[in-house]
Amino acid sequence: MRSSDRTTSPATATNKDRAPARRGPRAGVVTAVATVLALTGCSAGHSGAARGKDVFTAAVVQNYTTPPDPDINYDGPGLNIIQNTYEGLVKYEDGTDSAKIVPALATAWKVSKNGLTYTFTLRDGVTFHDGTKLTSKAVADAIKRRAQVGGGSAYMTADVTKVATPDDHTAVLTLSAPNSAFLDYLASPFGLKLISPGVLEKHAGKDHAQTWLTSHDAGTGPYELASAKTGSRYELTAFHDYWGAKPKFGTVELEISQNAAATQLALERGEIDAILGNLNKSAFESYAHSKTVTTSTFPNLTTQMIYVNPKSKAFTSAGQRKRLFTGIDTRGILSAAMGSLEEPTSQLFPQGMLNPGLDDQGITFDKAALADIAASSPAKGRTVRIGYAGSSADGKAVAEELASRMNSAGLKAEAVAYAAGTIYKLTDDLSAAPDLAVFSVFPDAGHPDSWGRIIYTPKGGLDLFGAEVDGLDAGLDKALTTTDQSAYGPVARSVIDSRNWFSIGSLNTTLLTTPGISGTRKAQNLLEYNVLHFAALGRS
């Protein structure tokens, strides 16, 4: 799970209870510092005329210094490379607002009745970028390497105890226990990607080819990684032997940004084709009627939440916390702070992940609630501190708007920024931690286990205040053994009743392009934040 507050979360160890490890530098993820392309990166050499119609240039408005290795990368920005150069057995369908699993390198699959065996039929005629033909050996090798490397996403295949390859086009995976989230983890953008066995053998070195894959790729995707200047610039070129539809752009140039104003100016001049990564509300909405820049938003599972410190002296009971939530005008706050960049939600889990009847938080806005809280104990006379990640424009905007409305109601409040990494260490001293935290997260997969286990359990990595709900681990374990979504109803209800968390809105992915770029909706995915699948794009 990633945080979407334009930062990235520190890695935490996986565990035998299948709680996912956290990605190293996005929570909010849930995921990256908003930085932008330097003016020097938008020189005349990258002008529309110089590039030609065959080149697509994008400024990535998120910091990215992680190697583009699918078993190492656990950052949102890196998906712009990983998802275009590598493929897995299955994936989530692009261009839709539902997390539907569809074929990728596997054309079909079958799950045994006991939920322990998954049989995949591999696609014929697929070639890795180094010329190696796809066979079932690649599946076995990829699962073995993921465990050997032990990156943040290794937990997704940790339950696999055996991989059988009865023939070149059949791979049979056996799990240690039934896991209804397993297909979702395979489909995850951070899920298992198949890597050329030829590359893993030839460039193994002493680190399972990690060094080589820092500046090369070994996937089957529509693009190859042609060059990589870590944290600065990446170039992708279309793979001429790709098994699927051929990309319209022969070259994709990705520039990591440094200066927001310069990047926007470059887009307005047509020197680049797109800006990937959220600008703030004012910057994004300033292009609403532009003739030189096209704006669009796309649904995403990123959810913004308010966490409550269980040691807060202002809100000491579930009843008091619920009263606080009723006093928060989420619709008004999000309209003022976020505009079209975020939609209010009534659901605890990411909007659409569960049937709304299972996780409705049961909160109705009461405009008198904050004044009542201000006039009574234990909040009376106290200053409520609202923390947010200092690198998060969204967190800052919402935290400051919430503090302003509290102050207007007579409840003293202040928004407090926390430096990168610090917000993940609030449990070190809860007595010194803020009363509340505004934070955004998006899940690794479209399955409720990938949300509930990480957000609402102290072992999960994004339970910022370490709040605990009795019996929650057991409830999640039980739900994981069944495909019946209703099993997550009791899980959601126990979290809701604790009132330690309040989901307030669903963030949208935003995109700015020049008017001639087509295919942008099909190029986006519900599970990926500010990422494009370049093969779907064209230039009209």
Side-chain angles (χ1 to χ4, degrees):
M1 172 144 336
R2 297 153 288 163
S3 71
S4 67
D5 279 327
R6 311 301 185 271
T7 66
T8 50
S9 53
T12 60
T14 56
N15 60 74
K16 62 183 179 181
D17 295 320
R18 292 193 291 268
R22 300 302 324 124
R23 275 191 273 301
R26 173 202 199 296
V29 10
V30 347
T31 313
V33 180
T35 56
V36 214
L37 179 65
L39 185 58
T40 55
C42 303
S43 63
H46 288 106
S47 69
R51 291 196 318 268
K53 292 185 177 181
D54 191 45
V55 180
F56 179 83
T57 301
V60 180
V61 190
Q62 292 168 298
N63 190 40
Y64 176 61
T65 58
T66 305
D69 180 333
D71 292 326
I72 296 296
N73 179 78
Y74 212 2
D75 289 343
L79 293 178
N80 280 297
I81 299 173
I82 303 296
Q83 289 294 80
N84 285 288
T85 55
Y86 291 90
E87 295 170 303
L89 293 168
V90 293
K91 64 179 183 178
Y92 289 113
E93 185 175 17
D94 295 332
T96 71
D97 57 5
S98 62
K100 179 183 178 182
I101 297 175
V102 296
L105 294 181
T107 58
W109 55 91
K110 181 172 61 176
V111 184
S112 63
K113 289 184 178 180
N114 63 6
L116 294 177
T117 304
Y118 289 71
T119 302
F120 294 91
T121 301
L122 300 187
R123 191 177 297 278
D124 194 17
V126 176
T127 304
F128 287 96
H129 296 162
D130 71 328
T132 301
K133 298 296 182 183
L134 171 66
T135 68
S136 55
K137 182 181 186 299
V139 180
D141 287 359
I143 290 175
K144 180 181 179 180
R145 182 186 190 257
R146 180 156 282 214
Q148 291 172 328
V149 171
S153 56
Y155 78 91
M156 295 182 179
T157 52
D159 284 349
V160 178
T161 59
K162 179 182 178 182
V163 180
T165 55
D167 59 59
D168 281 352
H169 289 89
T170 305
V172 183
L173 280 55
T174 301
L175 307 186
S176 59
N179 183 345
S180 62
F182 185 62
L183 273 178
D184 284 272
Y185 284 134
L186 289 180
S188 165
F190 296 93
L192 182 74
K193 299 296 188 291
L194 300 195
I195 303 173
S196 169
V199 166
L200 294 183
E201 180 179 352
K202 181 178 180 180
H203 300 284
K206 297 181 180 180
D207 60 0
H208 312 292
Q210 290 183 63
T211 298
W212 198 82
L213 291 177
T214 296
S215 55
H216 303 81
D217 87 273
T220 62
Y223 284 93
E224 300 179 78
L225 180 60
S227 66
K229 187 176 180 181
T230 303
S232 177
R233 184 180 183 277
Y234 303 84
E235 183 176 304
L236 309 179
T237 56
F239 177 45
H240 64 275
D241 283 334
Y242 184 56
W243 61 266
K246 300 299 186 287
K248 297 180 179 64
F249 287 110
T251 301
V252 173
E253 297 174 350
L254 296 177
E255 306 278 1
I256 306 304
S257 60
Q258 297 299 326
N259 183 292
T263 303
Q264 291 173 238
L265 181 60
L267 182 67
E268 293 166 10
R269 290 174 172 174
E271 296 169 354
I272 60 176
D273 295 302
I275 295 178
L276 305 180
N278 281 353
L279 300 175
N280 60 32
K281 171 193 172 185
S282 297
F284 182 78
E285 294 186 346
S286 69
Y287 292 110
H289 304 292
S290 173
K291 294 182 179 180
T292 59
V293 175
T294 298
T295 66
S296 61
T297 60
F298 188 80
N300 194 268
L301 291 185
T302 299
T303 301
Q304 192 167 54
M305 299 181 295
I306 295 175
Y307 289 64
V308 184
N309 184 343
K311 297 297 184 181
S312 169
K313 294 182 179 180
F315 311 104
T316 59
S317 70
Q320 291 162 353
R321 294 190 289 270
K322 180 178 181 181
R323 185 60 172 158
L324 166 67
F325 295 164
T326 64
I328 298 175
D329 179 11
T330 55
R331 188 169 296 276
I333 289 172
L334 295 183
S335 176
M338 299 298 295
S340 60
L341 307 186
E342 187 169 354
E343 303 291 337
T345 184
S346 63
Q347 293 187 249
L348 177 72
F349 281 66
Q351 196 160 278
M353 182 174 282
L354 291 177
N355 183 311
L358 296 175
D359 67 338
D360 187 282
Q361 296 173 103
I363 296 296
T364 301
F365 174 56
D366 179 354
K367 63 181 180 180
L370 291 182
D372 291 345
I373 292 171
S376 58
S377 295
K380 184 178 181 179
R382 297 185 180 278
T383 297
V384 175
R385 291 187 300 137
I386 307 168
Y388 65 91
S391 57
S392 168
D394 299 344
K396 182 177 188 291
V398 172
E400 290 182 346
E401 183 67 22
L402 174 58
S404 175
R405 291 176 182 240
M406 285 183 169
N407 282 308
S408 295
L411 180 61
K412 291 191 292 184
E414 62 178 0
V416 182
Y418 283 78
T422 306
I423 198 163
Y424 304 108
K425 300 178 180 179
L426 297 179
T427 55
D428 290 351
D429 186 359
L430 288 178
S431 63
D435 300 280
L436 311 174
V438 176
F439 203 63
S440 302
V441 182
F442 65 88
D444 284 348
H447 190 283
D449 186 75
S450 74
W451 180 268
R453 202 174 294 271
I454 298 175
I455 302 297
Y456 307 127
T457 69
K459 291 183 295 184
L462 287 178
D463 183 2
L464 295 183
F465 291 121
E468 297 187 59
V469 178
D470 289 342
L472 187 62
D473 279 316
L476 286 166
D477 288 343
K478 181 179 179 181
L480 199 59
T481 65
T482 176
T483 57
D484 184 0
Q485 190 187 72
S486 66
Y488 286 92
V491 169
R493 180 45 52 193
S494 64
V495 174
I496 291 170
D497 288 345
S498 77
R499 301 299 175 182
N500 287 313
W501 301 269
F502 183 33
S503 297
I504 61 173
S506 299
L507 287 168
N508 291 317
T509 289
T510 60
L511 179 64
L512 300 179
T513 67
T514 53
I517 301 301
S518 61
T520 55
R521 180 172 178 83
K522 189 62 177 177
Q524 298 183 73
N525 192 283
L526 183 69
L527 271 295
E528 299 167 21
Y529 200 69
N530 297 326
V531 173
L532 285 179
H533 293 190
F534 302 119
L537 300 176
R539 193 188 301 279
S540 59

